[in-house]
């Protein structure tokens, strides 16, 4: 610690050079933070997916429906604990498609909340959902977005599922659910399937997809193939797969986002390594003689090495921590596009990785100049421009 | 052991025996010092003279453990420094040696007092104790009023006084000065020499000073001349 003043003063030697280096490190780490946040918002659903959940969809495509009568057949299969079905409703609020949030009927609220323990809803709300035909539960984020409260009546229309006689669909909010963690998507709008099924103009008896909870996650692949063979050679063949794979199929359509972000970050960090390494190399070369003087006083080779490393770590720590900190603040400020990226936060594990990267970068950028400084022969260093 | 250089025999603080030092330049060996002996007594003020390139700095560096002999032994205060590891030698320098350079070699990014404090960072002294030692050293060289100044804002003579304060702040056994007045005008140089003389007389500090200025060597208690790798008491013709 007593050497901190010396380390810091050396960085103040060329203020402009130090500032520019800190600035580029700062930008790199802020970019890191923002890209991690974006990556997380694209892939959060995959991590969240319970290992005990299977998604069963129409074998042809995701948008082809399945009969709602499959529910009893699926639940009857051995290895299946419970099942629930959803149908993509595509509800539009105030005739403005830009005000998007996911809306869908669900076969049963209790089973749904059982299978998705990450959604938190009061018992009172569950009861009201059962007693209210038009009842709907809404995620906290969407409720706050439109300033909805329990008891509000929400009119929606759906281009996919028009209501009989051109009526508008109307829903009564019976509860607002919250997420168990920041990763939980709390933008959903879930209402009763019976209300939906009887009210729709066409497609009666058809649901979108099923989510199945298996009794033993280790047996999930066997249960999945049992489901698929159950409906083989029927007009509606199924494809059952683990929920993670299902969510990932969504993400895959947007390209392998993780890989793209990683390659951007690698290039950025490599550039920063060169910039910082160059700053340190210059700074050490400029003061060859001073390093010789320190050694003549009895500063050991090892101490000189550590001082140079401390200097390069300090420069990266200052830029890196400000960058990570600012990215964190930005993420905490909420998503700039809540309808596109509802889950928006800078995950703690990426903050920790970022801090690790800061230290690694500081050491990597400083190690060559530090070794050079350690090896410096005093007599030679002192002769320089003397 | 030879005492031909008029040293104080058994009381010698520094004893060089049969020292040789070669440098490699390309494919040839340059013999800078050959089979050289020297003893310096405790409390002596020795001037080391000789033409440019004769090896004065090289000799001083060897005594201070900044470089290693090709052949021969160096004993300082009873310790054989040629046997020490690099690490041990660094620790030994911190305890026993104070260097003063021709071009002061202060760190431009540190104030005068922070420069003087540098060698104390290697000790176990607390921050408060370090401050006291620094203040005392700056007081001895008469620069207390410049403690917070950056070296850039000091004159050459003042910078060299900071350099001396830095060399004495750890109370070393031996002070090694390489042309300490070489970059100063006559008046400032005289001030520095007087300061060194006072430290030698009043505080009993041992000095070895390289110079090629007869004016400077006149202040020393004894002068030896280095020429063609050997020492003599007489100036070469
Ligand atoms: N590290 C070194 N490598 C090669 N030659 C050196 C080195 N240090 C000193 N020399 C040579 O040794 C000789 C003596 O140098 P030096 O001790 O600096 O002389 P002085 O201080 O008397 O002017 C010179 O010829 C110099 O070029
Ligand atoms: Mg010299």
């Amino acid at each position: 610690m007593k050497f901190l003043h010396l380390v810091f003063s050396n960085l103040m030697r060329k203020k402009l050079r130090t500032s520019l280096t800190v600035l580029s490190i700062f930008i790199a780490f802020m970019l890191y933070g923002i890209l991690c946040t974006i990556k997380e918002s694209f892939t959060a659903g995959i991590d969240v997916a319970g290992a005990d959940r299977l998604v069963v969809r129409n074998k042809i495509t995701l948008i082809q429906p399945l009969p709602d009568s499959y529910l009893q057949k699926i639940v009857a299969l051995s290895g299946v604990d419970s099942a629930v079905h959803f149908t993509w409703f595509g509800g539009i609020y105030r005739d403005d498609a830009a005000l998007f949030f996911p809306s869908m009927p669900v076969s049963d609220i209790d089973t749904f909340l059982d299978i998705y323990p990450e959604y938190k809803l009061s018992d009172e709300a569950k009861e009201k959902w059962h007693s209210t035909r038009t009842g709907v539960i809404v995620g906290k984020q969407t409720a706050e977005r439109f300033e909805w409260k329990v008891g509000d009546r929400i009119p929606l229309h759906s281009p996919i599922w028009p209501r009989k006689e051109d009526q508008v669909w109307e829903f009564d909010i019976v509860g607002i659910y919250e997420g168990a963690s920041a990763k939980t998507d709390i933008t959903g709008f879930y209402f009763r399937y019976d209300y939906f099924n009887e009210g729709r103009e066409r497609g009666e008896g058809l649901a979108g997809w099923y989510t199945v909870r298996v009794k033993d996650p280790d047996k999930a692949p066997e249960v999945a193939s049992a489901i698929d063979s159950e409906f083989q050679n029927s007009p509606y063949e199924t494809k059952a797969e683990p929920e993670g794979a299902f969510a990932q199929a969504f993400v895959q359509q947007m390209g392998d986002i993780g890989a793209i972000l990683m390659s951007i970050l690698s290039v950025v960090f490599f550039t920063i390594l060169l910039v910082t390494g160059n700053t340190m190399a210059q700074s050490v070369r400029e003061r060859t003689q001073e390093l010789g003087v320190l050694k003549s006083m009895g500063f050991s080779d090892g101490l000189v090495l550590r001082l140079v490393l401390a200097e390069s770590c300090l420069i990266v720590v200052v830029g890196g921590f400000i960058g990570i900190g600012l990215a964190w603040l930005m993420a905490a400020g909420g998503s700039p596009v809540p309808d596109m990226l509802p889950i928006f936060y800078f995950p703690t594990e990426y903050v920790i990785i970022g801090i690790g990267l800061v230290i690694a970068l500081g050491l990597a950028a400083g190690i060559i100049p530090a070794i050079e400084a350690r090896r410096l022969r005093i007599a030679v260093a002192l002769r320089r421009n003397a | 052991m030879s005492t031909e250089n008029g040293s104080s025999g058994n009381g010698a603080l520094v004893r060089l025996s049969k020292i040789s030092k070669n440098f490699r330049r390309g494919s040839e060996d340059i013999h800078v010092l050959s089979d050289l002996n020297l003893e310096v007594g405790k409390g002596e003020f020795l001037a080391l003279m000789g033409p440019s390139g004769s090896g004065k700095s090289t000799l001083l560096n060897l005594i201070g453990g900044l470089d290693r002999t090709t052949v021969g032994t160096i004993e300082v205060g009873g310790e054989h420094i040629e046997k020490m590891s690099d690490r041990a030698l660094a620790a030994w320098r911190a305890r026993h040696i104070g260097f003063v350079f021709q071009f002061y070699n202060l760190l431009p990014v540190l104030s005068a007092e922070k420069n003087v404090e540098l060698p104390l960072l290697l000790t176990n002294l607390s921050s408060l104790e370090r401050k006291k030692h620094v203040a005392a050293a700056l007081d001895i060289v008469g620069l207390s009023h410049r403690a917070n100044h950056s070296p850039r804002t000091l004159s050459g003579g003042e910078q060299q006084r900071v350099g001396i304060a830095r060399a004495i702040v750890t109370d070393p056994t031996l002070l090694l000065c390489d042309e300490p007045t070489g970059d100063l005008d006559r008046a400032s140089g005289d001030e520095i020499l007087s300061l060194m003389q006072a430290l030698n007389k009043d505080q009993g500090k041992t000095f070895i000073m390289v110079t090629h200025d007869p004016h400077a060597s006149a202040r020393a208690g004894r002068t030896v001349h280095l020429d063609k790798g050997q020492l003599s008491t007489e100036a070469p013709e």
Side-chain angles (χ1 to χ4, degrees):
Chain A
M1 269 303 116
K2 56 188 172 183
F3 295 102
L4 196 64
H5 179 79
L6 176 61
V7 170
F8 183 73
S9 302
N10 277 323
L11 286 176
M12 290 295 102
R13 177 184 310 254
K14 294 256 163 93
K15 291 197 183 63
L16 181 64
R17 180 174 70 196
T18 302
S19 314
L20 290 176
T21 308
V22 168
L23 187 69
S24 38
I25 295 166
F26 156 72
I27 291 171
F29 277 94
M30 194 166 72
L31 191 65
Y32 165 81
I34 292 170
L35 291 184
C36 283
T37 305
I38 292 174
K39 174 185 178 291
E40 185 66 11
S41 57
F42 277 117
T43 55
I46 298 169
D47 302 342
V48 163
D52 60 352
R53 295 202 288 253
L54 295 175
V55 173
V56 182
R57 61 167 170 95
N58 189 296
K59 191 178 179 181
I60 302 163
T61 72
L62 190 58
I63 38 180
Q64 300 290 109
L66 292 171
D68 59 11
S69 58
Y70 279 15
L71 188 61
Q72 287 73 27
K73 293 180 186 162
I74 290 173
V75 173
L77 291 172
S78 77
V80 171
D81 177 73
S82 52
V84 65
H85 66 70
F86 305 89
T87 309
W88 189 256
F89 182 66
I92 291 176
Y93 182 50
R94 288 196 207 132
D95 285 334
D96 185 352
L99 300 178
F100 171 83
F101 51 87
S103 53
M104 58 199 84
V106 47
S107 55
D108 175 57
I109 190 80
D110 296 314
T111 321
F112 167 57
L113 293 172
D114 253 12
I115 295 180
Y116 290 90
E118 58 264 42
Y119 297 139
K120 302 291 176 200
L121 186 71
S122 70
D123 290 339
E124 191 196 1
K126 278 184 221 170
E127 263 166 47
K128 264 165 84 185
W129 196 84
H130 284 298
S131 60
T132 314
R133 197 176 150 73
T134 54
V136 60
I137 59 163
V138 183
K140 189 160 177 257
Q141 193 174 329
T142 296
E144 280 174 359
R145 182 169 165 215
F146 299 115
E147 296 178 357
W148 290 343
K149 298 176 306 293
V150 171
D152 285 0
R153 170 159 296 186
I154 311 300
L156 296 183
H157 81 261
S158 165
I160 314 172
W161 303 111
R163 198 173 171 193
K164 283 176 185 161
E165 290 149 18
D166 273 345
Q167 290 183 71
V168 171
W169 293 97
E170 286 189 323
F171 303 97
D172 294 298
I173 298 182
V174 296
I176 291 175
Y177 70 88
E178 302 196 14
S181 83
K183 282 190 173 189
T184 311
D185 177 355
I186 45 170
T187 60
F189 186 98
Y190 297 100
F191 51 90
R192 278 169 58 160
Y193 180 74
D194 53 353
Y195 171 52
F196 164 72
N197 194 35
E198 286 151 30
R200 60 178 153 179
E201 202 174 69
R202 54 181 162 80
E204 199 176 336
L206 291 177
W209 69 93
Y210 289 83
T211 299
V212 173
R213 182 158 77 181
V214 299
K215 285 178 180 146
D216 178 0
D218 294 338
K219 299 263 165 56
E222 286 92 324
V223 176
S225 44
I227 293 172
D228 287 348
S229 50
E230 171 79 18
F231 303 113
Q232 214 166 12
N233 302 323
S234 79
Y236 295 96
E237 291 194 319
T238 61
K239 182 167 161 62
E241 53 191 357
E243 188 175 277
F246 176 77
Q248 199 142 29
F250 263 133
V251 172
Q252 219 93 50
Q253 293 174 359
M254 289 172 267
D256 192 354
I257 286 167
I260 292 169
L261 298 188
M262 279 322 292
S263 55
I264 294 173
L265 283 176
S266 309
V267 171
V268 168
F269 280 118
F270 185 68
T271 311
I272 288 305
L273 178 63
L274 296 185
V275 168
T276 315
N278 181 52
T279 297
M280 288 310 300
Q282 274 186 18
S283 153
V284 164
R285 237 159 255 158
E286 274 160 19
R287 56 192 151 103
T288 299
Q289 213 177 355
E290 289 175 30
L291 291 168
V293 172
L294 289 179
K295 288 189 178 187
S296 77
M297 281 174 204
F299 281 59
S300 66
D301 294 342
L303 178 56
V304 168
L305 173 114
R306 289 197 298 276
L307 287 175
V308 173
L309 279 182
E311 201 174 315
S312 97
C313 284
L314 184 62
I315 203 170
V316 180
V317 160
V318 170
F321 283 13
I322 297 176
I324 290 176
L326 216 64
W328 188 85
L329 282 178
M330 283 166 69
S335 174
V337 279
D339 40 346
M340 259 180 69
L341 301 175
I343 299 170
F344 200 78
Y345 74 108
F346 190 1
T348 313
E349 61 262 37
Y350 287 123
V351 174
I352 293 167
I353 291 172
I355 291 169
L357 272 175
V358 166
I359 308 291
L361 193 66
L363 294 176
I367 190 68
I368 291 172
I371 289 174
E372 207 175 297
R374 183 178 73 92
R375 282 205 192 127
L376 206 58
R377 315 276 334 147
I378 309 173
V380 177
L382 288 175
R383 288 181 74 82
R384 234 192 255 170
N385 48 2
Chain B
M1 194 58 47
S2 158
T3 55
E4 65 194 10
N5 290 326
S7 74
S8 43
N10 287 338
L13 177 68
V14 180
R15 181 175 288 139
L16 310 188
S17 311
K18 301 194 179 342
I19 292 293
S20 294
K21 178 68 181 173
N22 306 338
F23 287 113
R24 261 207 109 69
R25 192 176 288 155
S27 59
E28 64 172 327
D29 263 343
I30 310 165
H31 302 269
V32 179
L33 305 173
S34 39
D35 208 22
L36 176 150
N37 296 304
L38 172 68
E39 291 193 356
V40 183
K42 195 164 162 38
E44 251 202 283
F45 190 156
L46 178 77
L48 176 59
M49 296 192 76
S52 185
S54 59
K56 305 182 295 296
S57 296
T58 300
L59 181 56
L60 205 66
N61 288 347
L62 290 175
I63 298 172
L66 300 188
D67 207 349
R68 302 223 177 233
T69 56
T70 310
V71 186
T73 62
I74 302 179
E75 224 181 305
V76 180
E79 289 186 273
H80 274 281
I81 66 169
E82 80 279 355
K83 291 194 179 123
M84 293 181 185
S85 67
D86 283 353
R87 202 190 158 96
L89 201 56
W92 173 83
R93 276 198 304 275
R95 240 179 314 119
H96 295 292
I97 301 293
F99 269 98
V100 178
F101 304 95
Q102 177 176 2
F103 298 104
Y104 334 123
N105 280 349
L106 303 178
L107 268 55
V109 292
L110 298 180
S111 66
E113 63 180 350
K114 288 292 178 191
N115 264 287
V116 176
E117 192 189 9
L118 281 174
L120 295 177
L121 295 180
L122 302 173
T123 66
N124 292 326
L125 296 178
S126 70
S127 156
L128 198 71
E129 290 169 314
R130 292 200 301 271
K131 276 211 165 63
K132 275 191 202 152
H133 282 76
V134 169
L138 281 172
D139 188 43
I140 289 172
V141 302
L143 271 186
S144 301
H145 59 299
R146 293 273 192 271
N148 295 317
H149 284 231
S150 143
R152 258 188 301 276
T153 66
L154 300 176
S155 72
E158 287 173 325
Q159 287 189 55
Q160 192 59 299
R161 282 196 269 163
V162 175
I164 291 174
R166 180 178 67 184
I168 62 173
V169 74
T170 54
D171 193 22
T173 317
L174 181 59
L175 285 152
L176 302 174
C177 314
D178 197 346
E179 310 206 28
T181 60
D183 197 47
L184 297 176
D185 58 53
R186 170 59 49 87
S188 312
D190 277 342
E191 275 176 32
I192 294 296
L193 289 165
S194 302
L195 177 59
M196 290 166 58
Q197 238 177 344
L199 286 166
N200 173 247
K201 288 231 166 63
D202 306 340
Q203 313 212 10
K205 301 260 181 246
T206 310
F207 277 91
I208 301 178
M209 172 180 71
V210 166
T211 181
H212 50 227
D213 178 8
H215 213 82
S217 63
R219 302 283 201 109
R222 175 164 73 105
T223 302
V224 291
H225 296 267
L226 181 60
D227 196 32
K228 301 195 177 66
Q230 297 277 331
L231 286 175
S232 67
T233 45
E234 301 299 318
E237 296 306 301

